[in-house]
Amino acid sequence: FWTLENHVLYEMEVKKSKFVVRAWPVSSGSEALELIKEASDPGASHNCFAYRIGSSEVPLLDDGEPGGTAGRPILSAIEGEGGAGAGKRFLVTRYLAASS
């Protein structure tokens, strides 16, 4: 499996929505939840996340997106990249573009 050594930040725009992706290495659920709290933007449309600690701790949140359409795909991306046993935490923040 792979691990993260440092914080990673990636931004992109898709269909009038801006997405900000943050990823950090973590070693515990409490550390992951603290990072989620600090990095979440209350002004964003959604702050969705997933993380995996070892083989059993796998919390995720859709944060108002339709059920199963945000947290589960984030977790699938973690697992699909060889991250099943690693401590990683991802937060995807979505901003809807203002109507013109």
Side-chain angles (χ1 to χ4, degrees), residues 3 5 7 9-11 18 21 26 31 34 38 41 43 48 62 65 72-74 76 78 82 85 89 92-93:
T3 61
E5 292 184 16
H7 172 250
L9 174 67
Y10 178 75
E11 296 183 21
K18 177 182 174 184
V21 180
V26 295
E31 179 186 9
E34 185 61 32
E38 290 174 10
D41 182 346
C48 306
D62 291 318
E65 294 278 16
R72 178 67 52 198
I74 295 168
S76 293
I78 293 169
R89 173 267 193 190
V92 178
T93 302

Side-chain angles (χ1 to χ4, degrees), residues 39-55:
S40 292
D41 182 346
S45 304
H46 306 282
N47 288 281
C48 306
F49 71 84
Y51 66 85
R52 173 178 284 285
I53 305 294
S55 61

Side-chain angles (χ1 to χ4, degrees), residues 11-83:
E11 296 183 21
M12 65 183 199
E13 194 165 316
V14 178
K15 297 183 181 180
K16 299 182 182 180
S17 289
K18 177 182 174 184
F19 293 86
V20 178
V21 180
R22 300 175 189 275
W24 285 270
V26 295
S27 57
S28 70
S30 60
E31 179 186 9
L33 291 173
E34 185 61 32
L35 288 169
I36 289 165
K37 181 180 175 184
E38 290 174 10
S40 292
D41 182 346
S45 304
H46 306 282
N47 288 281
C48 306
F49 71 84
Y51 66 85
R52 173 178 284 285
I53 305 294
S55 61
S56 61
E57 190 174 350
V58 188
L60 47 89
L61 175 70
D62 291 318
D63 191 33
E65 294 278 16
T69 64
R72 178 67 52 198
I74 295 168
L75 181 61
S76 293
I78 293 169
E79 292 172 337
E81 291 298 321

